[in-house]
């Protein structure tokens, strides 16, 4: 078959175990090389970061927080404008991740802060940037690699500098 030919080209093998009226299990074995034991997304000095998340969708906030937890980065989730004000009075944040849709609620708070937070806007791919103070935009879907690239000042297709305000 076509699949078997491709697997053979890759010096691999394919096998099948089948049980009548139960189903089949196909197993592929393909030799792979690796160049490093380093994790694919690693944040040096992870404990030097503290990130505040203010997002339109609670499930998405939890998703971002799990990514940050996996890097061993401390984060807090603000659910309301009052939460942001309270948390920013208690903690010093290196970054504030805010969704484009909720920025209006916290614009005054962020603009009046004396500390230099890095404001990161979460946008859908076709959104205009409403976050006037954002230095960086992360386009959904957000993945661990995107957050790692952002924190390490690298760029990829989902991380971009805000080049035009409102555009």
């Amino acid at each position: 078959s076509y699949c078997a030919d491709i697997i053979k080209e890759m010096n691999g093998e394919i096998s099948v175990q089948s049980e009548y009226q139960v189903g089949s299990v196909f197993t592929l074995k393909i030799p792979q090389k690796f160049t490093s034991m380093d994790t694919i997304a690693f944040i040096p000095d992870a404990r030097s970061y503290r990130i505040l998340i203010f997002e339109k969708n609670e499930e998405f906030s939890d998703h971002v927080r799990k990514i940050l937890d996996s890097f061993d980065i401390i984060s807090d989730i603000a659910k309301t404008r009052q939460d942001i004000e309270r948390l920013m009075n208690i903690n010093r944040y290196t970054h504030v991740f805010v969704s484009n849709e909720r920025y209006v609620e916290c614009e005054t708070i962020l603009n009046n802060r004396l500390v230099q937070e890095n404001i990161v806007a979460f946008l859908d791919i076709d959104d205009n940037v409403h976050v006037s103070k954002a230095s960086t935009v992360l386009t959904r879907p957000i993945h661990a690699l995107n957050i790692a690239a952002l924190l390490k000042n690298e760029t990829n297709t989902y991380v971009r500098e805000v080049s035009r305000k409102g555009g």
Side-chain angles (χ1 to χ4, degrees):
S1 81
Y2 185 67
C3 289
D5 292 342
I6 292 173
I7 292 163
K8 188 176 178 186
E9 271 309 304
M10 297 171 73
N11 296 319
E13 52 188 66
I14 183 170
S15 62
V16 63
Q17 286 186 317
S18 192
E19 192 175 329
Y20 182 68
Q21 292 189 335
V22 173
S24 302
V25 175
F26 292 85
T27 304
L28 309 174
K29 291 182 182 176
I30 300 172
Q32 294 291 298
K33 291 183 202 170
F34 64 91
T35 56
S36 169
M37 288 296 286
D38 294 339
T39 54
I40 196 161
F42 171 73
I43 307 291
D45 305 320
R47 281 294 173 174
S48 66
Y49 296 95
R50 184 168 192 139
I51 297 175
L52 179 60
I53 305 162
F54 189 47
E55 170 51 35
K56 65 175 180 175
N57 179 304
E58 200 172 316
E59 199 174 303
F60 185 76
S61 295
D62 292 339
H63 166 69
V64 172
R65 188 169 204 186
K66 282 179 186 158
I67 291 172
L68 295 171
D69 285 348
S70 74
F71 290 138
D72 206 23
I73 291 174
I74 297 167
S75 64
D76 297 306
I77 295 175
K79 296 186 181 194
T80 65
R81 181 187 184 283
Q82 291 77 13
D83 282 350
I84 282 196
E85 201 153 16
R86 180 180 55 77
L87 287 164
M88 290 187 93
N89 285 332
I90 297 169
N91 305 304
R92 186 182 173 98
Y93 292 98
T94 55
H95 295 78
V96 176
F97 290 176
V98 59
S99 70
N100 206 29
E101 301 83 354
R102 296 203 74 177
Y103 177 66
V104 187
E105 298 172 54
C106 63
E107 183 173 12
T108 313
I109 299 164
L110 295 181
N111 288 343
N112 290 339
R113 300 298 294 185
L114 296 175
V115 289
Q116 292 296 302
E117 281 88 11
N118 286 314
I119 312 297
V120 178
F122 287 156
L123 271 73
D124 291 324
I125 196 99
D126 55 352
D127 278 351
N128 284 333
V129 181
H130 301 309
V131 187
S132 60
K133 202 178 175 186
S135 55
T136 311
V137 168
L138 275 184
T139 307
R140 294 183 185 97
I142 309 294
H143 303 291
L145 289 175
N146 310 129
I147 291 176
L150 164 83
L151 296 175
K152 293 192 286 187
N153 289 320
E154 297 169 354
T155 55
N156 64 30
T157 55
Y158 291 96
V159 180
R160 66 181 192 271
E161 294 300 311
V162 176
S163 54
R164 288 191 323 270
K165 301 300 180 195

